[in-house]
Every structure is written in structure tokens, then in C-alpha cells.
Amino acid sequence: MTRPARLGTIVLAIAALLPLAALVITAFGTTWFYPALLPAGWTLEGWTVVGGGRLGPAVATSLAIGSAASLLATVAAVPIGRAIARGDRLVARIGTGAAFLPIAIPPIALATGLQLLALRTGVGGTVVGVVLAHAVPALGYLTLFFVGIFRGVDPEIESAAHTLGLSPRAAWRHVLLPLLRRPLVEALLLGFLVSWAQVPLTLLIGGGAVRTLATELLAYVQAGQDRLAAVSALLLLLPALLALGASRRLARTTGTLAG
């Protein structure tokens, strides 16, 4: 490794690990004031709220919303991504553009538009409304994901299955879904992560009635409760780390497409 590459790697590592180190120290430390490098002592007091108070229910709500939004988005993204990948150039351009739109526009603009729809359909301020709202950007991400996946799947595989007498449903069940095992797991993880950290959509659609881990984190920051904010931030990081580990394990134990 050359010296510039080594230096760049060190700078990148510091930029990535320094904020994480600050969170860990704040979450477990007692009083910590400049210019001290470390807190005066250590405590687990901040973590006692995880199982109760506001933070415990917020974590459970986030898990439920993220799982439901991810499942909805994945189920919808698979056939949509396949249709775009199998379509002509015009279909591909329109489809990918539509999928990219909820990702590209500012989250607050997307949340405002969805809030108007939620209020008119009666799901504003409900968990159902938040799930549906979170599924919108998740669907955009996952549609683009499956467009790339299906472009790597030879259409002749499906044709051969039909030639052998399999119905479209049977071809999906016995041919395509086994091939898509790893992409489906990765899509569920990605969709969950998109929902897990949503703040504007949760605040506007939930109307303050739906409290998630991300919104509680924001409330702790605004209230100046640094230790609880750090604990919440570390909890918010945990699924991303678990998803990264799961994805790497799948990559090692399965093939390129089938897993």
C-alpha cells in the first residue's frame, strides 16, 4: 500500500470511528467535560431505560414498523423490478425514473405529500399510516435493487420452466424464488434499514402519536439528555451492523445469485 493510500485509509478510519467512540463514551460515561479525554467514571444507568420508559416501547414500535414496511416493499418490488428488467427501453426508463423519484426528492417534501394523502384516507397519526409511508421510499430502493437482480437472471430459465410444463406460479415457486433466496433476504434487510431510521415520514405521518426509536433520539437531543441520546443512537446503529454481518455470511455460504 502506498503512503497516500495508507494516509487516506487512516483518515477514513478516524472519520468513521471517532463519532462512534464519542457515542460509546457518552452512553457509558458519567460526567465528561473538556479538556478531559475520558469521563470521570462509568455507568450503565443510561441503558436501564431500554426495557421501560419511553425508549422500550419506541424500540418495539420501530421493529414492528420496519418489519412490516420491509415486507410490503419487498413483495411489491419483486414483480415490479422483474417487469422493468424484462420491458423495453421506454419501460425501463419510465420505471427506473419512477422508482428513483421517492429516493431523490427531499424527504421532507415526500413526507408532506404523503401526509396530505394520509389525512385524506384516515390513516394519519396511526401505525398503519407510518408503515405505508415508510414503504414508499423502501419500494423505490428495492425496485431498483431487483431491476439489477433480474437483469442478471437469464430469461431463458423461465422459458425452459414453462416449456417443461410448469405454470407461471409453479415457475415462480420452484425456479425463480430459489434463485432469489439471497437477494430476497438482502432486500428485506435493506427495506428494514430504510424504515428503521426514518424521521420526517414518522413525524409528519405519525403526527406525534407514533413514537419510534429515531423520533425518541431526536427528542433526547433536543432536551439535552446526552446520555439517553447516545444510547438511542447506538441502538439505532445495531441493525445496520447486524445486517452487514448477515449479508457477509450469506455471501460466504451461498452462490452469487442464489444467495
Side-chain angles (χ1 to χ4, degrees):
M1 182 182 294
T2 63
R3 180 174 297 178
R6 187 181 298 111
L7 180 61
T9 302
I10 294 173
V11 171
L12 180 61
I14 293 174
L17 295 178
L18 197 58
L20 181 60
L23 288 176
V24 172
I25 293 173
T26 303
F28 290 96
T30 53
T31 55
W32 186 24
F33 299 106
Y34 179 84
L37 294 179
L38 293 174
W42 303 95
T43 178
L44 295 175
E45 181 182 349
W47 294 89
T48 60
V49 301
V50 175
R54 297 187 310 177
L55 199 55
V59 171
T61 301
S62 292
L63 289 171
I65 291 175
S67 300
S70 176
L71 182 60
L72 283 176
T74 301
V75 170
V78 172
I80 295 174
R82 177 181 176 276
I84 294 174
R86 297 286 187 264
D88 56 28
R89 183 174 298 180
L90 179 61
V91 170
R93 287 181 177 178
I94 295 175
T96 53
F100 189 70
L101 187 61
I103 303 172
I105 63 177
I108 191 65
L110 176 65
T112 302
L114 290 175
Q115 181 195 34
L116 297 175
L117 291 174
L119 292 175
R120 283 161 175 74
T121 55
V123 295
T126 67
V127 171
V128 172
V130 174
V131 168
L132 294 175
H134 284 196
V136 173
L139 178 59
Y141 279 105
L142 298 186
T143 295
L144 295 176
F145 175 76
F146 279 110
V147 168
I149 292 297
F150 277 105
R151 283 177 176 168
V153 177
D154 189 351
E156 293 300 321
I157 295 177
E158 298 178 59
S159 300
H162 296 153
T163 301
L164 293 173
L166 291 180
S167 65
R169 179 179 298 182
W172 269 96
R173 180 179 178 182
H174 298 290
V175 179
L176 283 180
L177 290 182
L179 282 174
L180 298 174
R181 183 176 57 182
R182 177 182 167 189
L184 284 171
V185 174
E186 291 178 338
L188 289 169
L189 293 174
L190 175 59
F192 178 85
L193 293 178
V194 170
S195 169
W196 178 253
Q198 283 290 340
V199 174
L201 287 175
T202 306
L203 288 176
L204 288 182
I205 307 302
V210 180
R211 309 293 297 183
T212 64
L213 178 59
T215 60
E216 289 301 322
L217 168 59
L218 183 61
Y220 288 138
V221 171
Q222 293 173 336
Q225 299 185 41
D226 294 342
R227 185 183 300 157
L228 294 179
V231 169
S232 302
L234 290 175
L235 290 175
L236 207 60
L237 285 172
L238 187 58
L241 298 178
L242 293 176
L244 179 61
S247 180
R248 287 188 172 182
R249 180 166 183 172
L250 281 171
R252 290 196 304 266
T253 57
T254 57
T256 303
L257 186 64

